[in-house]
Amino acid sequence: MQSIRNIAIIAHVDHGKTTLVDKIIHASKLFRENQESGDLILDNNDLERERGITILSKNVSVVYNGVKINIIDTPGHADFGGEVERVLKMADGVLLLVDAFEGPMPQTRFVLSKALALGLTPIVVVNKVDKENCRPDEVHEQVFDLMFNLDATEEQLNFETIYGSSKNGWMSEDWQQPTDNITPLLDKIVEVIPEAPSPEGTPQFQVTSLDYSSFVGRIAIGRVYQGSIEEGKSMGLTKADGSMQRVRIKELQVFEGLGRKKVESVKAGDLCAIVGLDNFEIGDTLTDFENPQPLERLSIDEPTMNMLFTINNSPGFGSEGKFVTSRHLRDRLMKETEKNLALRVEPTDSEDKFLVYGRGILHLSVLIETMRREGYELMVGQPQVIYKEIDGQKCEPIETLVVDVPENVAGKVIELATQKKGELKIMEPKGDQQHLEFEIPSRGLIGLRNNVLTATGGEAVMNHRFLDYQPFKGEIKGRNNGSLISMENGPGTPYSIDKLQDRGVFFVPPGENLYTGQVIGEHSRENDLVVNVQKGKQLTNMRASGSDNNSKIAPPRVFSLEESMEYIQKDEYLEITPSSIRMRKIFLDEHTRMKMAKTL
C-alpha cells in the first residue's frame, strides 16, 4: 500500500505559501512540459488573485519517490481562522513558512498555536533568504522562542529547518549554500512528517470542508481516520444533535495532482471527497450504521463582530443588480453559513434585516464583495463588536496589534493607538524600522488603519489578531468630523462643488447622479451639514457661461470596501451594488433624521 503524508502549509499573509505550493507542483511534474500554468495556481478565485491572499483552503496531492504527499494550503489571515482550524484536523504535520526578514508575525502565532495543540509535527521553512538585509539565523531563534512560548512539546521543539527562496525555486539545509531545486524540502517532508496511520476497525470519516458541483450537488471532503470506506456502501451519518441518518456513498474521489480521481475504496490516512451524501454539515462523522463510532465535533472560535445586512431601499434600487429582494438575501446568507463555519446569521424582528456575525472586518468584507460580484444589491450597517458578560462584568474582544513603522513617525502611531484605548506592550528596533505591539479593543481598530496610514504617509505595516475577552475599556471617541449630505436628487455641478470646497472633502465627482440623504463628503466640523450641490450658476448674460468650466475642484476621496465599512457612523448605511458603493443616512429625509435624533 502506498505511503501517505498529510501536510498543511501555514504562514502569515504574503510570506509565500501559495508560491511554494506552485513550485512543489512544478517539481513533481504535474504539468506537461508545454502546458501553460501561470502563477498562484491554487488561488483560483478572482478575489484571491486580486488581493494576493488565500481565503479558502485548497487540497493538492503530489507523488514524490513513490510517497503520496497531500498538501493543504491554508489562509494566513486570522479573520479566516475558521478555515484553518478545521483543515488542520486533516494533517499529520505542518510546514511553517516564515519570512527571513520579518520573522514570525502575529497571525503565524495564531495558526501555529492551533497546530501545536493538535500535536502536529512541524518543519520550519525560512523563506526569501535572497532578500536584502535578511536575517535567517535570528529568525530561526525567534521561531524557537515562539514555539517555546506556545508550550510546544520536546519533540516539536526539536524541529527541522530548511532555508530557501520559493520564488527562485530552491531549498537547502544551509542558507549560504543555495541549490537549484526544492527536493531537499520534499526529502525532509518524507523523512520527518509521520506516515498517516491507517488503523483497522469501524470506518470513521469526518467532513471538514465541502465543495459544490452543479452536476452532483454538494460534495463532502475530509479524512478517513479509521477502517476503509467503499463506493456504493450504506453507512450512518452522525449529526450535531446526536441523531443518525442512513446514507449511501454514490462516488468516491481521492486527490491526484490538482484534480480528483474516482476510486472504489479509500483506506484510513488518506483524504477524499464523497458524492451522494444529502444534508450533511461540516463536523459530521460518517461511520458504520449498526456500530457507530462518531468522532468529536470540530470546535471553532466564536465570532467577534456583527453587522446588519438589509435589502437596498435607496431611490435607485434594482437598477444595477439582479438579486434585490429579502428572499434572495436570506437564501444567499444561509447558503454561506453551510461552508463558512465562523459565520453566523440571525434573523431580526424585521423580515428584511439580518444580523451577520463574523471574525472581523476582512471576513465580512470578503462575503460582501463576493455577493456584489454575484449580482446582489444590499445595504450594511456599521460593524459592531460583540460584548460578553463574564463573572458579572461586561467584557469586550481585545486584539494584539503589531505595527512596523519608520522611526520618525512612531510617536504618531503610538498617539493614535492610545486614543483608541490601545496599551503599548513592546517597542523595539527592527532593522531601520520601529516595531510596536499594542493590546487594543477590537472596536478601537475600526477606522484606525486609515488614520495610521495618513499619519505615516502610507509607510506603516499593520497586522492584528484576536487575543481574548477582557473587561470593557470605556468609551472610545468615534470619527471627529461630520458628514456632508446631499439636499436634492440629481447630478452635482462643478460650480456648486467648487463653492463648497471650504466646507470639507468631497467623495463624489461632479456629474455623478446623487440622491437626497446620500453622504457625499466629510464636513470640516463635527456636525453633519446638508448641502445643495445640484445648483448651477445663474447666467446673467451669455459671456459668463464658460466660466463654469474654470472651477478648480480637488479630486474626490475614494474608499475601498473595507475603508467605507470602517468609516460609516451609527446613523449611516453602506449601499452596495455590483457597480458602486455609496454611503447614505439611514433616514434619507432631514426632518425624519432630526425627529429620530431627539428620541435617541
Side-chain angles (χ1 to χ4, degrees):
M1 184 184 151
Q2 191 178 32
S3 177
I4 295 172
R5 305 284 187 277
N6 295 319
I7 189 158
I9 298 193
I10 59 177
H12 185 75
V13 182
D14 259 359
H15 281 196
K17 294 187 296 295
T18 307
T19 309
L20 180 62
V21 175
D22 286 356
K23 295 297 184 231
I24 293 175
I25 290 169
H26 285 299
S28 53
K29 307 261 188 303
L30 282 188
F31 291 107
R32 300 188 305 277
E33 294 296 325
N34 61 351
Q35 191 174 346
E36 269 298 310
S37 61
D39 296 332
L40 304 179
I41 300 162
L42 289 193
D43 280 354
N44 51 13
N45 113 14
D46 291 344
L47 254 181
E48 292 182 312
R49 284 183 168 274
E50 280 169 33
R51 292 177 181 232
I53 59 173
T54 300
I55 295 170
L56 304 167
S57 56
K58 321 279 189 319
N59 298 53
V60 60
S61 139
V62 298
V63 174
Y64 175 72
N65 287 353
V67 176
K68 179 178 182 181
I69 304 172
N70 285 318
I71 302 165
I72 307 154
D73 183 20
T74 65
H77 272 285
D79 278 28
F80 307 113
E83 280 284 319
V84 177
E85 288 162 51
R86 56 173 210 239
V87 297
L88 286 177
K89 288 267 301 214
M90 295 199 279
D92 297 302
V94 288
L95 276 190
L96 171 65
L97 203 66
V98 288
D99 185 297
F101 171 67
E102 292 183 350
M105 297 290 276
Q107 296 179 351
T108 319
R109 182 192 183 100
F110 167 80
V111 188
L112 184 61
S113 63
K114 303 280 179 198
L116 294 176
L118 286 169
L120 304 182
T121 306
I123 294 178
V124 174
V125 179
V126 179
N127 193 20
K128 305 191 183 182
V129 295
D130 54 328
K131 269 170 93 169
E132 282 177 41
N133 61 21
C134 65
R135 40 195 195 104
D137 297 329
E138 276 178 61
V139 167
H140 182 264
E141 290 296 311
Q142 284 178 332
V143 173
F144 182 86
D145 294 344
L146 174 62
M147 290 210 191
F148 184 77
N149 293 338
L150 292 174
D151 299 330
T153 61
E154 281 291 322
E155 291 78 31
Q156 287 171 330
L157 284 173
N158 202 6
F159 57 86
E160 297 279 350
T161 308
I162 293 277
Y163 301 90
S165 162
S166 46
K167 187 178 173 188
N168 296 332
W170 66 269
M171 290 284 153
S172 166
E173 294 196 30
D174 181 351
W175 65 275
Q176 287 159 330
Q177 294 179 343
T179 60
D180 57 359
N181 56 39
I182 62 163
T183 47
L185 174 63
L186 295 170
D187 289 334
K188 196 61 78 181
I189 291 173
V190 172
E191 176 194 331
V192 174
I193 301 297
E195 185 177 343
S198 52
E200 293 299 316
T202 306
Q204 287 177 322
F205 164 92
Q206 188 163 39
V207 183
T208 43
S209 63
L210 55 87
D211 197 0
Y212 183 81
S213 151
S214 47
F215 297 110
V216 295
R218 294 165 76 217
I219 300 168
I221 295 173
R223 173 173 173 170
V224 184
Y225 289 91
Q226 191 174 286
S228 63
I229 51 178
E230 292 156 27
E231 188 181 63
K233 200 171 174 188
S234 173
M235 297 184 80
L237 187 69
T238 57
K239 312 292 285 181
D241 57 6
S243 65
M244 192 166 173
Q245 68 181 65
R246 193 182 278 277
V247 291
R248 183 176 295 280
I249 298 169
K250 288 185 186 156
E251 198 175 300
L252 272 177
Q253 301 166 348
V254 291
F255 292 94
E256 187 175 72
L258 292 169
R260 295 198 284 255
K261 181 179 80 168
K262 193 167 176 273
V263 289
E264 286 180 6
S265 70
V266 179
K267 293 229 170 3
D270 207 350
L271 313 182
C272 68
I274 299 178
V275 175
L277 303 185
D278 290 327
N279 57 29
F280 63 86
E281 287 169 10
I282 288 173
D284 290 353
T285 305
L286 194 63
T287 181
D288 189 55
F289 190 77
E290 312 301 334
N291 174 27
Q293 288 185 13
L295 290 158
E296 190 183 337
R297 288 191 78 79
L298 299 166
S299 63
I300 297 288
D301 282 358
E302 290 288 301
T304 57
M305 200 167 268
N306 68 21
M307 282 179 89
L308 183 75
F309 278 52
T310 180
I311 57 168
N312 184 11
N313 61 7
S314 300
F317 79 93
S319 57
E320 295 175 4
K322 287 190 294 191
F323 307 113
V324 294
T325 65
S326 55
R327 182 178 60 83
H328 285 138
L329 186 60
R330 183 192 300 108
D331 292 352
R332 178 65 183 82
L333 290 173
M334 291 309 170
K335 186 178 158 200
E336 187 67 26
T337 55
E338 289 180 357
K339 63 176 187 297
N340 195 335
L341 273 200
L343 196 82
R344 281 212 323 266
V345 177
E346 284 181 9
T348 62
D349 49 11
S350 167
E351 273 294 297
D352 52 15
K353 292 189 171 80
F354 304 91
L355 270 180
V356 179
Y357 294 78
R359 276 285 180 85
I361 294 264
L362 184 65
H363 185 205
L364 292 165
S365 79
V366 165
L367 166 64
I368 294 168
E369 181 64 42
T370 310
M371 285 173 67
R372 70 182 281 231
R373 289 178 183 217
E374 290 169 5
Y376 285 83
E377 275 193 24
L378 65 149
M379 295 195 301
V380 296
Q382 187 190 35
Q384 306 288 335
V385 299
I386 299 166
Y387 298 107
K388 280 186 180 174
E389 185 128 334
I390 302 172
D391 301 332
Q393 206 174 7
K394 182 182 180 184
C395 293
E396 65 174 330
I398 302 291
E399 310 221 5
T400 301
L401 169 69
V402 177
V403 188
D404 289 323
V405 68
E407 220 165 307
N408 58 337
V409 285
K412 287 182 184 171
V413 176
I414 295 169
E415 186 188 342
L416 286 167
T418 44
Q419 281 171 3
K420 301 275 195 175
K421 297 281 191 270
E423 288 176 41
L424 183 64
K425 294 289 184 186
I426 296 172
M427 182 175 180
E428 56 191 21
K430 180 175 174 184
D432 54 356
Q433 302 255 316
Q434 202 70 24
H435 177 79
L436 311 171
E437 287 192 24
F438 301 89
E439 279 186 14
I440 187 168
S442 293
R443 62 201 164 98
L445 287 168
I446 297 175
L448 182 65
R449 183 180 296 272
N450 281 347
N451 298 346
V452 166
L453 291 177
T454 307
T456 59
E459 290 197 52
V461 178
M462 287 174 66
N463 293 289
H464 56 88
R465 68 180 176 88
F466 174 67
L467 183 65
D468 57 7
Y469 271 82
Q470 290 178 16
F472 184 66
K473 303 282 184 200
E475 287 304 316
I476 294 178
K477 199 169 182 310
R479 202 171 80 202
N480 292 331
N481 300 58
S483 302
L484 292 176
I485 305 159
S486 174
M487 186 189 283
E488 305 274 342
N489 293 331
T493 63
Y495 170 76
S496 295
I497 292 179
D498 183 32
K499 287 280 176 279
L500 289 163
Q501 282 193 102
D502 58 340
R503 291 307 184 100
V505 181
F506 280 90
F507 305 156
V508 291
E512 185 173 305
N513 219 4
L514 311 173
Y515 55 81
T516 309
Q518 185 175 339
V519 174
I520 55 173
E522 181 178 283
H523 191 198
S524 52
R525 300 197 177 165
E526 286 189 17
N527 59 319
D528 288 348
L529 183 68
V530 180
V531 292
N532 184 346
V533 289
Q534 283 81 2
K535 199 165 64 181
K537 185 172 185 191
Q538 293 300 316
L539 303 182
T540 50
N541 61 30
M542 292 314 287
R543 277 176 301 175
S545 65
S547 61
D548 201 13
N549 304 329
N550 300 338
S551 319
K552 292 198 168 40
I553 298 173
R557 184 167 159 198
V558 180
F559 289 89
S560 70
L561 176 60
E562 278 102 31
E563 286 167 348
S564 12
M565 285 163 68
E566 291 185 346
Y567 184 82
I568 56 173
Q569 299 284 56
K570 274 201 178 79
D571 65 340
E572 292 170 354
Y573 275 153
L574 199 59
E575 179 196 351
I576 293 149
T577 72
S579 50
S580 41
I581 298 172
R582 303 182 190 95
M583 297 179 213
R584 51 159 283 182
K585 289 292 176 186
I586 293 178
F587 301 105
L588 298 178
D589 178 61
E590 191 181 355
H591 298 297
T592 316
R593 276 201 300 278
M594 288 168 137
K595 210 157 60 183
M596 295 311 288
K598 282 176 189 159
T599 59
L600 290 175

